[in-house]
Amino acid sequence: MMASLGNDTKTVSYFYPFPDKADERTRDWPLVESPWNVPVLLAAYFLMVYYGPKWTSRHKPLQLRVPLFFHSVSMILLNGYICLELVSQTRALGYSLGCQPCRVNYSPQEMRIATALWWFYISKVLEFADTAFFILRQKWTQLSFLHVYHHSTMFVFCWVVVKWVPTGSTYVPAMINSFIHIIMYSYYALSVLGPRVQKFLRWKRYLTRLQLVQFIFIFLWASQMLLRGCEYGTWITLSMAIYSLPFLFMFGKFYVQNYRVATVEKKAK
């Protein structure tokens, strides 16, 4: 695929699977055009995960209450915008929840959906800050394989959907995930306000339940699209179904270990 550089006559060749099928509406958008954005940002993220703890362990953990609060509020607002845009514009276009093909359409509503999904992709880059906060605060139990796997793979997956299917049924998992992130970052924002507020935050386990319900729904939703032969795209639908399975296992394991087992041990004492 040839990507033009503004008004310059120079071109750059990018090599990746199915370049001719990339959606023409978003193929040149920031952090979407070049496939090199993905490995470069991922490499930076993995270097932070590997070397960050080695550096911070030599120093006292930071509190970072103010940056944490403002980051959480920013993510609440961003995810709120994404969720609202996806709900309002898909309803205006009469999108189907069960099966909505991705059509190359430049209507204002379709472009607003594509823009919201691009911001959803960008939000996954901004969520790398969550890992940085864990490292700087030396919250080693929270810097788990599940956390790193979730943040790194979601970033890659979102690049794929924005590059190839930035409208259509893509809106369903993005809408659900952005809604859950509104709740999640609300919890994070409140948790840094001190003991007076923290004592009322007894609903963390329900966040994990919501995430489990999300992945169960996505697996069932993607499965029914496959069975119906939805024109959205077999390869991306199958990918969504398969992608949800490791999360079901890991979040389920996390829930059992941190809430079920802990509750049983507490009662035993």
Side-chain angles (χ1 to χ4, degrees), residues 17 33-34 88 97 140 149 189 191 225 253 257:
E33 178 184 7
S34 171
S88 61
L97 180 67
W140 307 130
Y149 176 82
S191 67
M225 285 208 297
K253 184 179 179 182
Q257 290 177 340

Side-chain angles (χ1 to χ4, degrees), residues 10-11 13 72 89 102 136 139 149 170 175 199 228 233 246:
K10 296 180 180 179
T11 58
S13 295
S72 297
Q89 300 311 307
C102 177
L136 292 171
K139 300 291 185 180
Y149 176 82
T170 304
M175 181 177 63
K199 64 182 179 181
R228 293 172 59 185

